[in-house]
Amino acid sequence: MTRRRTPRNSVIRLTTGNAARTLNHPLARREPVLALDFGATSVLVTTNGPVTADDLKFARQLAREAHRFARSVERSFYGLPDGQGVAA
């Protein structure tokens, strides 16, 4: 990850569990929407109008970091550094 340019002034923590899910809504005539649902709380990620190069850059960064997050969860779940093993 790159270093932040501005300090954080707030943090919202949303934890996963059996109520957490993600949904992609690739709308044909509107901006795409990514929904992150955490039970009663939902976060929608979308663009601010027609898709731009900055939007594409952010989407690729989001996908890369989500993949890294998934690998970290897998390693923790399986308990092995390479993420290859059997769940306890």
Side-chain angles (χ1 to χ4, degrees):
M1 281 181 19
T2 60
R3 188 172 207 101
R4 291 183 63 83
R5 295 178 194 169
T6 57
R8 289 187 177 108
N9 58 14
S10 64
V11 174
I12 299 171
R13 180 179 177 173
L14 302 168
T15 57
T16 61
N18 63 357
R21 64 188 183 130
T22 60
L23 296 167
N24 179 44
H25 302 284
L27 306 173
R29 299 196 190 314
R30 293 191 42 133
E31 299 79 25
V33 177
L34 175 65
L36 309 174
D37 291 325
F38 300 90
T41 303
S42 184
V43 176
L44 301 179
V45 181
T46 187
T47 63
N48 190 24
V51 176
T52 66
D54 286 336
D55 297 325
L56 180 57
K57 180 180 173 184
F58 174 79
R60 289 179 173 160
Q61 180 184 18
L62 178 64
R64 184 178 58 250
E65 295 305 319
H67 177 76
R68 288 177 179 167
F69 176 74
R71 295 297 295 159
S72 295
V73 171
E74 289 171 350
R75 282 192 299 273
S76 295
F77 181 73
Y78 293 123
L80 297 173
D82 64 358
Q84 302 296 318
V86 178

